[in-house]
Amino acid sequence: MKGLMVKDLRLLFSQKKTWLMYIMLCLMMSFSMQGAFIVGYTVMLAGVIGISTISYDQADNGMPFLLTLPTDRKGYVREKYLLCLLMEACGAAVGIILCEVTSLVKNGSGVPADDIRSAVVVIPVMLILVSFMAPINLKYGAEKARLVMMIAYGIIGAITASAVVLMQDIMPDLGHSALVKIKVFFDETLGGTYFWTVPVVLTVLSLAVMYVSYRISVRIVSNKEY
Amino acid sequence: MVRIENLIKRYGDFTLDISMEIPKGKVTGLVGRNGAGKTTTIKVLLGLIKIDSGKVSVMGKDAAALTAEDRKRIGAALAESGFSGLLRVRDVAEILSAMYDDTDRESFLRLCGRFGLPEDKQIKEFSTGMKAKLRVLTALSHRSDLLIMDEPTAGLDVEARNEILDMLRDYLRENEDCSILISSHISSDLENLCDDIYLINSGRVILHEETDRLLDSYGVMRVDEETYETLDRQHILAVRKENFGYSCFADDRRYYEESCPGIVIQKGSIDDLILIMAGGELL
């Protein structure tokens, strides 16, 4: 697995122009956007970069050769998930450092912890997204996976929109009042003592989803012919 | 080292149905026309595809159950699959030294330099020959018990082919116990390298013979139709219809030299073997 990790990291860092573009984008975003928005952006970018290594492996029929190297199929999948976790952690660290530095430069003070907390919630969201993207990429390949993800987003969007419209028609006040109650619960009940409870609980839940996704991916890769 | 017993693998209309063995320390050639089933056989051995029935044992284990540790003892070069074109030779050296306990980064780089592979150029910018050389050098980068090479010289000019074959000969000299399976449709690659040869056609082994015996005892007769009609066919394995009459592939050249002195019979080559046995009619 160490060799595969070295391969992926070397593959990612071999693209200097792309990294230069990422750095420029992140700097522009961190200076132009308010609060800790950049943290969400770097976390999202890191997750997508991690997943993109699957398509590099599949390009030019590379998978058969990779599976002749000292690894088994489970080891290959494990390395991909570890790489994505590593990328997410680095993305979050870089995002937090960037937003703190730009806030100090722009305002002379650090970013409020509340903003950071809101932004850090993106980490579990991205972990869940990676958990969906990885098995689809491994099963269908990068090209088809893009189409599958677009269809999946469309279906999720349509279901959510329909549910909201339906809720508003049936019980016009419930949706709004429920959201207000949740916000009050988090702000007042958990607010001071359990400030980081929500991000931590969501991260643990997303890691559980990721584990299920890993098991599914192992099954997909084990059953696939290369 | 490798034993395939009654392997069946179906792909639509195509069925691979073979049994074969690669003994320890021997070089086995797998020849046949394009689409005969050579790559499918190699993929089965490497556990890349599943089989419908039969038994495939590699280094004493089921090919589908090879672990990462087992794979450290195998070197493989596949025809159209290798490291990503975005990587460079120096990246490959780092990856291999992280993967294999006995790969020395510096000697790999030295060897790549000797064969004209620049360290800092992306693989995607390499010529076909350079990519093939890198695939073979990658497979030879560590001490293996089993080397599996799928068409390592396909699409290369004579000079590049000879360089690759020299690499293999050097490796064999240093690793006498290593077993090698090499597939090719280029006869000269195998004649000086292999101990025995399997010829497969349409998914079946149609001949298995030691290379020395194949080259010494087998022969090809080119006869007109009239001679063919009266020819003793007990040692003829296959015939192929030609413009002048028939090409006959026989397993006992001396028998025909003695019994039919008027017929010109030449020593057999692997090219004849493929042309007549795979392209003609088996008797």
Side-chain angles (χ1 to χ4, degrees):
Chain A
M1 196 169 68
K2 183 183 158 199
L4 289 178
M5 189 65 88
V6 171
K7 171 195 68 82
D8 279 341
L9 293 177
R10 291 215 155 231
L11 203 55
L12 291 177
F13 291 110
S14 68
Q15 297 159 78
K16 294 187 179 68
K17 281 180 192 164
T18 313
W19 281 101
L20 196 67
M21 192 186 76
Y22 290 153
I23 292 165
M24 299 291 283
L25 263 174
C26 289
L27 286 172
M28 275 167 57
M29 291 252 182
S30 60
F31 275 98
S32 59
M33 304 302 277
Q34 292 298 315
F37 174 83
I38 187 64
V39 180
Y41 182 74
T42 52
V43 166
M44 191 195 72
L45 191 61
V48 172
I49 292 170
I51 283 287
S52 71
T53 60
I54 296 175
S55 54
Y56 288 131
D57 288 348
Q58 291 168 344
D60 305 324
N61 191 32
M63 279 304 285
F65 170 70
L66 290 178
L67 293 176
T68 68
L69 295 170
T71 183
D72 50 21
R73 294 180 182 217
K74 197 174 176 182
Y76 174 82
V77 175
R78 197 183 304 139
E79 186 270 340
K80 285 294 168 213
Y81 277 76
L82 281 177
L83 178 78
C84 286
L85 280 173
L86 181 74
M87 292 298 292
E88 294 287 21
C90 291
V94 168
I96 290 169
I97 292 168
L98 258 180
C99 82
E100 288 289 352
V101 169
T102 46
S103 176
L104 279 172
V105 172
K106 280 198 306 192
N107 314 321
S109 62
V111 180
D114 204 26
D115 282 1
I116 295 278
R117 184 186 62 163
S118 309
V120 162
V121 173
V122 177
I123 295 173
V125 172
M126 202 54 213
L127 288 179
I128 289 171
L129 193 63
V130 164
S131 303
F132 279 102
M133 286 165 77
I136 292 171
N137 271 268
L138 289 166
K139 186 168 175 70
Y140 298 107
E143 286 299 313
K144 284 186 192 164
R146 228 164 282 154
L147 190 69
V148 172
M149 289 302 287
M150 275 165 66
I151 294 169
Y153 291 147
I155 292 170
I156 292 166
I159 291 171
T160 313
S162 309
V164 168
V165 170
L166 211 64
M167 286 278 284
Q168 281 172 346
D169 280 353
I170 299 167
M171 289 174 281
D173 296 329
L174 181 73
H176 181 255
S177 62
L179 282 175
V180 167
K181 278 178 192 162
I182 292 168
K183 191 177 184 323
V184 167
F185 175 75
F186 282 128
D187 285 353
E188 292 177 4
T189 316
L190 298 177
T193 320
Y194 303 106
F195 190 71
W196 290 100
T197 305
V198 177
V200 169
V201 168
L202 284 177
T203 303
V204 171
L205 282 175
S206 64
L207 287 173
V209 172
M210 208 172 187
Y211 179 71
V212 174
S213 159
Y214 161 73
R215 296 296 295 262
I216 293 169
S217 292
V218 167
R219 184 171 287 190
I220 288 169
V221 174
S222 300
N223 289 329
K224 205 167 174 181
E225 298 202 329
Y226 291 96
Chain B
M1 183 56 69
V2 171
R3 186 187 291 270
I4 299 177
E5 291 172 73
N6 306 315
L7 158 68
I8 304 278
K9 172 69 188 175
R10 293 187 187 89
Y11 274 128
D13 295 344
F14 177 81
T15 302
L16 182 70
D17 176 3
I18 60 165
S19 294
M20 65 182 288
E21 194 174 349
I22 306 170
K24 190 179 177 191
K26 297 281 182 192
V27 183
T28 300
L30 192 59
V31 298
R33 297 191 296 187
N34 292 334
K38 303 187 295 290
T39 299
T40 305
T41 306
I42 281 174
K43 283 187 169 185
V44 168
L45 288 180
L46 291 166
L48 297 174
I49 53 175
K50 288 181 175 158
I51 59 174
D52 294 315
S53 66
K55 197 176 167 194
V56 180
S57 148
V58 176
M59 300 183 302
K61 273 190 161 179
D62 185 344
L66 291 172
T67 62
E69 279 304 306
D70 296 326
R71 288 184 189 280
K72 283 186 180 176
R73 295 167 56 203
I74 300 176
L78 301 181
E80 283 167 359
S81 181
F83 279 118
S84 165
L86 297 171
L87 293 170
R88 295 167 165 83
V89 166
R90 63 160 186 258
D91 298 320
V92 173
E94 292 295 341
I95 296 164
L96 293 176
S97 57
M99 279 182 166
Y100 298 100
D101 306 328
D102 58 349
T103 296
D104 177 36
R105 186 183 161 279
E106 292 308 318
S107 35
F108 178 78
L109 287 174
R110 247 195 326 273
L111 209 55
C112 286
R114 205 180 104 198
F115 285 100
L117 305 180
E119 264 183 53
D120 293 329
K121 205 172 176 180
Q122 283 189 314
I123 297 170
K124 67 179 181 187
E125 291 169 27
F126 280 13
S127 67
T128 310
M130 289 161 87
K131 283 179 187 165
K133 280 190 242 178
L134 181 61
R135 282 198 294 267
V136 174
L137 281 173
T138 301
L140 306 183
S141 68
H142 61 287
R143 194 171 283 272
S144 304
D145 293 327
L146 176 64
L147 269 183
I148 298 179
M149 308 253 151
D150 186 19
E151 302 272 6
T153 59
L156 303 185
D157 58 35
V158 180
E159 197 183 345
R161 266 168 51 200
N162 286 339
E163 278 185 306
I164 284 180
L165 294 172
D166 284 343
M167 278 184 219
L168 278 171
R169 284 190 197 97
D170 289 347
Y171 189 83
L172 274 172
R173 264 194 293 278
E174 290 163 18
N175 303 275
E176 287 182 350
D177 286 340
C178 179
S179 306
I180 302 186
L181 176 68
I182 177 166
S183 82
S184 182
H185 59 267
I186 302 167
S187 63
S188 53
D189 289 357
L190 303 175
E191 284 177 358
N192 299 318
L193 200 69
C194 297
D195 296 301
D196 63 338
I197 294 214
Y198 282 87
L199 170 66
I200 61 172
N201 190 44
S202 303
R204 288 171 187 272
V205 174
I206 57 173
L207 185 83
H208 173 219
E209 188 56 273
E210 287 176 16
T211 316
D212 287 347
R213 188 167 137 63
L214 187 71
L215 300 178
D216 285 349
S217 307
Y218 285 56
V220 177
M221 291 178 284
R222 293 190 167 84
V223 295
D224 58 32
E225 288 195 25
E226 196 181 328
T227 313
Y228 177 71
E229 291 305 323
T230 58
L231 197 65
D232 176 358
R233 294 178 200 172
Q234 64 171 311
H235 288 288
I236 294 178
L237 299 176
V239 290
R240 182 184 160 99
K241 184 86 179 82
E242 311 278 7
N243 291 335
F244 56 81
Y246 290 93
S247 287
C248 307
F249 195 75
D251 64 2
D252 192 345
R253 194 179 78 249
R254 284 177 193 88
Y255 174 81
Y256 290 99
E257 280 173 345
E258 286 163 11
S259 62
C260 313
I263 295 174
V264 177
I265 180 160
Q266 296 167 319
K267 277 191 169 186
S269 69
I270 295 172
D271 274 341
D272 295 324
L273 177 75
I274 298 172
L275 268 173
I276 305 173
M277 295 224 29
E281 180 192 343
L282 296 178
L283 295 186

